[in-house]
Amino acid sequence: PHQHLLMSKLASLGHGIIVRPLEEGDADACRRIWSEGLEQTVESSSWFMRPLMAFAMDRLRASATGPDGDMTHLVARWAGEDRQFFVAVDQGCEAKGHCIVGCVGVKLGTHEEQVDCSARTTSI
């Protein structure tokens, strides 16, 4: 029930961008977007922390996109009654058909492995 309410609100954003649940064919684009977002984290760090942040984000990228990483089996990892992964799709993109321009995972509760559908907090 929570997923349908969130989905209807997100889908009404308009401007040729739709938000829909993750599909198997979306995983490569989501890994790319997520990985590129790590660079934004590095660049937003203070200049003296950038080398350390770059090292940490490179390790995180390698771990998360490795064989058993969180970003490797997205559809299976985000299948559950307490979680949903969404993609934003630019319907006007003609280069590759529908282009994924963003993604987000939403989970009820704050514990990754604990299912709590009655939680009043969410994690993104």
Side-chain angles (χ1 to χ4, degrees):
H2 297 289
Q3 293 172 353
H4 297 294
L5 176 62
L6 181 60
M7 187 65 189
S8 65
K9 286 183 180 181
L10 291 174
S12 65
L13 294 174
H15 305 293
I17 304 293
I18 63 163
V19 177
R20 62 166 173 74
L22 175 74
E23 296 172 357
E24 189 68 46
D26 302 333
D28 287 341
C30 290
R31 276 189 291 278
R32 178 186 52 77
I33 290 168
W34 181 83
S35 292
E36 289 172 0
L38 296 176
E39 183 61 28
Q40 179 182 355
T41 302
V42 172
E43 291 301 316
S44 67
S45 300
S46 52
W47 66 270
F48 61 88
M49 289 297 293
R50 283 189 189 147
L52 178 60
M53 288 301 292
F55 175 76
M57 294 301 106
D58 284 345
R59 289 188 52 107
L60 179 59
R61 179 184 298 112
S63 172
T65 59
D68 295 321
D70 291 346
M71 296 299 293
T72 302
H73 306 287
L74 283 176
V75 174
R77 178 172 265 313
W78 286 93
E81 60 184 303
D82 66 330
R83 63 193 68 209
Q84 182 73 48
F85 200 92
F86 297 100
V87 294
V89 181
D90 179 355
Q91 291 185 304
C93 180
E94 296 179 15
K96 301 175 187 169
H98 295 291
C99 294
I100 296 174
V101 295
C103 56
V104 64
V106 181
K107 184 196 177 310
L108 292 172
T110 57
H111 300 285
E112 185 175 348
E113 302 301 328
Q114 181 180 355
V115 175
D116 182 5
C117 293
S118 65
R120 300 185 134 229
T121 57
T122 57
S123 299
I124 295 179

